[in-house]
Amino acid sequence: MKDASFFEQHQLLDHGEGLFDHLPGFLFFVKDINLKFVSVNQRLADKLGAPNPGAVLGKSDHDFCPPSQAEIYAKDDRQIVETKQPMYNKVELVPRGKGFVDWSTTTKIPLFNNKGEVVGIAGTTRPFSTGTSAIDIHSELGAPLRAMHERFAESLKIPELAKIANLSVSAFERKFKKQLEMTPRQYIRHLRVHDACYKLSHTDSPLAEISASCGYVDQSHFSREFSRIINETPLQYRKRHRANPNR
């Protein structure tokens, strides 16, 4: 579904909208210069909780997402508009309802008119798992990835993970970032926050207990890391999802 007038005005004849309806898990959108949606696929409309794609057109992320999350998206969008540069494969944790979060990989590009002016943004978001599923369990990264998922709450050292992969530390870090678009340390941080999101929204455990169980040295460290990745404090996250259990 798209706002045909926007595409006619800027002579954007084909932006590949139909392609993404046939790629499992992919979300697709186009926004105008004011960051309002002018095209989305059905899957994105479903994720936003809209009855149909048409109900999304003319609205922004702020109409559907928590303010903190919507502002993260808007900040990236404004940067693309201002710099005229694309953003490739940004890995982020995004809400999927009821306090759960999913890892996703987002790519956004500026759209230009025939004068070279940015008139909008096109983007796709795919589940991060589609980026890791191609990594065979018998590959060099298979064993260290399993260790990270099983032991993220421990004090895992990069040299230990490199040894599991039978690689030098520099080779391990280089191959890991090439495959997963983030460093091993960043990956472990995201695993911890992912686990914390579930515990905050689905248990009554004290913050100090959640902090320890997810591998943080103390509650202060937990709050800083969580806020940096999710853009709100653990307590704010818990209160919001307890107040909106169906969100």
Side-chain angles (χ1 to χ4, degrees):
M1 172 66 70
K2 64 183 179 182
D3 178 355
S5 62
F6 170 83
F7 296 94
E8 291 171 0
Q9 176 187 351
H10 299 293
Q11 300 180 12
L12 299 171
L13 301 180
D14 183 7
H15 57 291
E17 175 185 13
L19 172 64
F20 296 96
D21 281 323
H22 302 286
L23 294 176
F26 272 76
L27 311 177
F28 173 77
F29 60 87
V30 177
K31 299 175 183 177
D32 63 18
I33 199 70
N34 298 312
L35 311 186
K36 302 290 187 180
F37 290 107
V38 293
S39 180
V40 299
N41 65 348
Q42 180 64 54
R43 196 171 290 111
L44 177 55
D46 293 340
K47 185 176 180 63
L48 295 176
N52 54 67
V56 180
L57 303 186
K59 297 181 179 179
S60 73
D61 290 305
H62 286 85
D63 293 300
F64 301 100
C65 303
S68 58
Q69 198 67 42
E71 187 51 38
I72 291 175
Y73 301 150
K75 182 180 178 181
D76 287 342
D77 293 343
R78 288 193 293 266
Q79 180 178 328
I80 292 168
V81 170
E82 292 167 5
T83 65
K84 299 185 178 182
Q85 296 298 314
M87 180 189 78
Y88 294 118
N89 298 320
K90 179 180 180 180
V91 178
E92 53 195 353
L93 288 171
V94 298
R96 65 175 173 89
K98 299 185 178 180
F100 291 98
V101 291
D102 280 333
W103 292 39
S104 293
T105 304
T106 299
T107 291
K108 301 179 184 180
I109 62 171
L111 294 177
F112 299 93
N113 62 15
N114 56 11
K115 297 179 181 179
E117 301 166 331
V118 178
V119 295
I121 297 168
T124 63
T125 297
R126 61 176 171 81
F128 185 72
S129 59
T130 63
T132 59
S133 60
I135 301 175
D136 188 270
I137 60 171
H138 300 298
S139 72
E140 292 172 312
L141 296 183
L145 275 171
R146 284 198 303 273
M148 294 163 90
H149 279 263
E150 294 169 0
R151 300 168 51 199
F152 63 83
E154 301 177 20
S155 182
L156 275 173
K157 304 297 184 184
I158 304 305
E160 178 184 355
L161 293 168
K163 185 177 180 179
I164 293 173
N166 294 314
L167 294 168
S168 67
V169 171
S170 59
F172 172 67
E173 291 183 322
R174 183 173 62 254
K175 291 188 177 185
F176 195 97
K177 188 168 185 179
K178 181 179 180 180
Q179 287 279 350
L180 286 95
E181 305 292 343
M182 64 170 67
T183 68
R185 290 184 180 86
Q186 289 171 327
Y187 191 84
I188 291 173
R189 291 189 190 112
H190 278 68
L191 285 173
R192 289 175 175 175
V193 169
H194 188 278
D195 191 48
C197 284
Y198 176 81
K199 291 175 178 175
L200 287 167
S201 56
H202 291 79
T203 76
D204 295 317
S205 301
L207 295 187
E209 183 178 316
I210 293 175
S211 170
S213 70
C214 292
Y216 296 96
V217 294
D218 54 43
Q219 189 173 328
S220 177
H221 180 218
F222 169 46
S223 295
R224 288 196 304 273
E225 285 288 293
F226 190 94
S227 299
R228 184 179 61 80
I229 294 175
I230 299 297
N231 208 39
E232 62 184 337
T233 67
L235 186 58
Q236 289 170 330
Y237 187 89
R238 168 170 272 177
K239 286 182 176 179
R240 181 163 58 82
H241 287 288
R242 291 299 174 86
N244 301 281
N246 295 319
R247 191 162 193 165

